[in-house]
Amino acid sequence: MLKTLQDLLTELKQLVTWTYLDNPAETMIEGISFSSKNIKQNFVFVCISGYRHDGHDYVNEAIHNGAVAIVAERPIEARVPVIYCKDTKAALAELANAFYDHPSTRLRLHGVTGTNGKTTTTALAHQLFDHVGMSAGLIGTLGITYAGKTFETPNTTPDPLTINRHLHAMVEAGVTDCMMEVSSQAIAEARIAGLEFETTSFLNLSHDHLDYHGTMETYAYTKAQLFTQLTESGCGIVNEDDPHHTLMLSMAPSAANSFLFSRQSTAADLVGHRKDEQFMLELGDEAVQSPLPFYEAYNLDNTLCAISIVLQTGVPLAEVLPHVKKLTLPSGRLERVTGIEQSVYIDYGHTPDAIKQVVTALTARYPRVLVLLSAAGERDRMKRNIMTEVVVASGADMILTVHDPRHEDPQQILDDLATGQSVEFARFDEREAAIRFFCERMDDYDCGVLFGKGHDRVERIGDAAVPFDEPALVRRFLQSPELP
């Protein structure tokens, strides 16, 4: 890609003023970065104030590496043009959209938000698009996938440069539809600013990220902002069974369409419910059925949302229906550990509601369930003891541990999990030791589930990312428990 600085400034709504800006129409820009280490010759460096570092402190390094212009939101000294903006995070998104020729307008972008189920829903929709012969991409927790390739990402919703770069590549590869998980932090930090969505979907809202948002009201309002980015001809898709669905739709453009799905209300546009081993679906006057893809109620919600998204692209229900029974859950979502006789699952669940949904599903199928419950370091402390209460209420037995402690004391995490409990639980400040103990006890149970890691294959301890393969550990301890 190659743009002039003038091309980019024309679309910079955050612009306030600039210094030393001569002949921007003749200044060629070959790239943009917010990391001084990634700056190359003829790049623009955008100063972002992050959690641990402030890009304004790395301007000299960026210039040394080839930056020809700096975007900042506070006064700095620099020997290249400085472009001052009100909000450099929003400016980064505007620059990324402009640099990559607004790729979200050149395919159908489908955003999915909700406390739980984003990864599963986007994966299921991606599978359905593939089954009906459409070229689709996917951006989310499990990476960015299109054209037979997958690229790792550090966040559920990546930074705007990564998003727009890959959307542009998808367009070039002939992708027509892209599924995107949209987190509340990504909305608040302007990572999706400027993107245009053909559909926006809302799954549910429950306790999470209150360390970031402060209140449930702010959390809900932040998620609802996704619907403001619908195109005028787009469609807002919502779960009618969640009371927050009206807030979401109220944010959509007045000309946009709406589509409601439900397992409980017969008034929704798409109604689905389980009947024995069949998934019954109703769309207007059309009533059809499919072999049940999943037993868990929450995964049927995710399936309904995925079907709803595909329907909005003009694919008829009759064409989608044969493929529903083929759907599979993504990695780390109620994933049964292979290579062992015992029924042991790993699950990414890390919110009270997600854990409740999984434990409820398992205790309905298995008489005796053992749970390994954990919480991550430097994340929402307010939800920790609520997660414990959910498991206690289910009647399942429980072991407490931690995952990704980062710089937080593991004992503090365990204390938070145990707060308010009159019963003493086995607790381990090292996850591998907890898994060993869990496996030693599995002979007394019909089923076990380990929460927290899911698909993730590293433990974040301090600043280090240590390789950590949870399914492999479970197999090792259950097959050869005497191994060190």
Side-chain angles (χ1 to χ4, degrees):
M1 300 296 295
L2 191 65
K3 300 284 183 180
T4 69
L5 187 55
Q6 183 64 52
D7 293 333
L8 302 181
L9 292 179
T10 300
E11 301 194 44
L12 197 55
K13 299 182 181 67
Q14 299 294 319
L15 181 64
V16 175
T17 188
W18 57 79
T19 62
Y20 310 119
L21 195 57
D22 297 326
N23 300 319
E26 297 180 10
T27 303
M28 303 307 298
I29 303 301
E30 298 182 30
I32 305 166
S33 182
F34 57 92
S35 170
S36 58
K37 290 181 172 56
N38 293 335
I39 289 292
K40 298 177 181 177
Q41 195 63 42
N42 298 324
F43 268 44
V44 172
F45 177 57
V46 183
C47 302
I48 301 292
S49 298
Y51 295 111
R52 298 187 183 279
H53 304 285
D54 186 343
H56 295 82
D57 298 331
Y58 296 86
V59 168
N60 289 336
E61 180 181 10
I63 294 172
H64 175 78
N65 289 340
V68 294
I70 308 295
V71 178
E73 59 184 17
R74 62 176 172 82
I76 58 170
E77 293 290 333
R79 63 178 186 272
V80 299
V82 179
I83 300 154
Y84 288 104
C85 294
K86 293 174 285 187
D87 181 347
T88 53
K89 289 180 180 177
L92 178 66
E94 292 170 1
L95 290 169
N97 274 281
F99 189 77
Y100 289 104
D101 295 327
H102 301 279
S104 68
T105 65
R106 295 183 285 132
L107 47 63
R108 290 187 294 250
L109 185 59
H110 308 281
V112 177
T113 197
T115 304
N116 302 309
K118 296 184 294 295
T119 301
T120 298
T121 299
T122 53
L124 298 181
H126 186 254
Q127 291 173 40
L128 288 175
F129 276 125
D130 184 59
H131 285 315
V132 299
M134 298 171 69
S135 180
L138 176 63
I139 298 175
T141 304
L142 300 182
I144 300 175
T145 300
Y146 58 95
K149 298 179 181 179
T150 297
F151 306 85
E152 290 186 5
T153 56
N155 306 104
T156 294
T157 311
D159 65 85
L161 285 171
T162 300
I163 291 172
N164 281 278
R165 182 173 70 252
H166 283 286
L167 287 179
H168 175 79
M170 288 183 197
V171 172
E172 295 293 303
V175 169
T176 59
D177 293 82
C178 177
M179 300 300 309
M180 180 188 289
E181 293 184 55
V182 181
S183 69
S184 56
Q185 294 101 317
I187 298 170
E189 294 175 3
R191 289 183 229 159
I192 63 164
L195 298 179
E196 295 187 17
F197 290 87
E198 185 68 19
T199 70
T200 56
S201 297
F202 168 70
L203 293 164
N204 50 64
L205 193 83
S206 62
H207 186 133
D208 200 17
H209 305 305
L210 297 194
D211 56 328
Y212 185 95
H213 296 290
T215 67
M216 285 296 294
E217 291 76 16
T218 301
Y219 180 35
Y221 181 78
T222 301
K223 281 201 173 291
Q225 297 306 302
L226 170 63
F227 283 71
T228 67
Q229 293 181 226
L230 266 174
T231 64
E232 291 289 331
S233 60
C235 183
I237 300 169
V238 294
N239 180 1
E240 189 179 3
D241 300 335
D242 189 291
H244 297 91
H245 77 272
T246 54
L247 170 64
M248 305 297 151
L249 291 179
S250 72
M251 295 292 184
S254 58
N257 299 308
S258 63
F259 189 91
L260 283 68
F261 65 90
S262 173
R263 284 186 298 108
Q264 302 171 13
S265 170
T266 57
D269 297 287
L270 178 65
V271 179
H273 64 274
R274 175 183 176 180
K275 183 178 181 181
D276 299 324
E277 299 297 308
Q278 294 293 307
F279 192 26
M280 316 301 291
L281 296 169
E282 296 176 17
L283 178 67
D285 296 330
E286 191 175 4
V288 295
Q289 63 186 56
S290 164
L292 198 67
F294 311 110
Y295 287 92
E296 307 81 33
Y298 65 93
N299 275 328
L300 296 183
D301 284 340
N302 298 333
T303 304
L304 285 171
C305 187
I307 294 171
S308 300
I309 293 166
V310 178
L311 292 177
Q312 301 314 307
T313 66
V315 180
L317 181 58
E319 189 174 340
V320 175
L321 187 67
H323 307 294
V324 172
K325 64 183 178 182
K326 305 174 187 176
L327 295 173
T328 58
L329 295 177
S331 174
R333 274 62 182 174
L334 200 59
E335 178 181 354
R336 185 165 178 169
V337 179
T338 59
I340 57 174
E341 295 180 0
Q342 298 90 335
S343 296
V344 176
Y345 298 85
I346 58 171
D347 192 89
Y348 189 59
H350 56 276
T351 71
D353 187 61
I355 290 166
K356 179 181 179 180
Q357 297 282 359
V358 171
V359 174
T360 299
L362 293 179
T363 53
R365 293 167 57 189
Y366 299 95
R368 299 170 300 169
V369 176
L370 180 61
V371 172
L372 181 69
L373 182 68
S374 67
E378 298 181 356
R379 295 296 185 267
D380 189 356
R381 292 181 61 186
M382 291 180 281
K383 69 181 180 183
R384 291 174 179 172
N385 68 315
I386 304 175
M387 296 192 299
T388 306
E389 290 170 2
V390 163
V391 179
V392 170
S394 75
D397 289 344
M398 180 166 38
I399 300 164
L400 300 181
T401 188
V402 303
H403 66 271
D404 300 330
R406 298 179 176 86
H407 294 275
E408 187 174 355
D409 181 0
Q411 290 300 327
Q412 178 63 65
I413 300 172
L414 291 168
D415 288 345
D416 287 347
L417 285 168
T419 296
Q421 297 301 318
S422 57
V423 180
E424 288 288 330
F425 300 101
R427 39 190 281 177
F428 295 84
D429 58 9
E430 291 185 357
R431 190 171 182 88
E432 183 171 334
I435 295 172
R436 178 191 285 275
F437 183 72
F438 173 95
C439 292
E440 289 171 350
R441 297 192 62 193
M442 271 307 299
D443 285 342
D444 298 327
Y445 294 90
D446 304 297
C447 167
V449 57
L450 301 90
F451 284 111
K453 295 303 294 178
H455 66 283
D456 198 9
R457 294 296 181 265
V458 296
E459 270 283 86
R460 294 159 187 84
I461 303 172
D463 291 324
V466 181
F468 192 88
D469 190 332
E470 187 150 283
L473 286 173
V474 171
R475 280 190 289 269
R476 189 178 106 197
F477 291 143
L478 284 175
Q479 291 171 347
S480 304
E482 73 281 357
L483 288 177

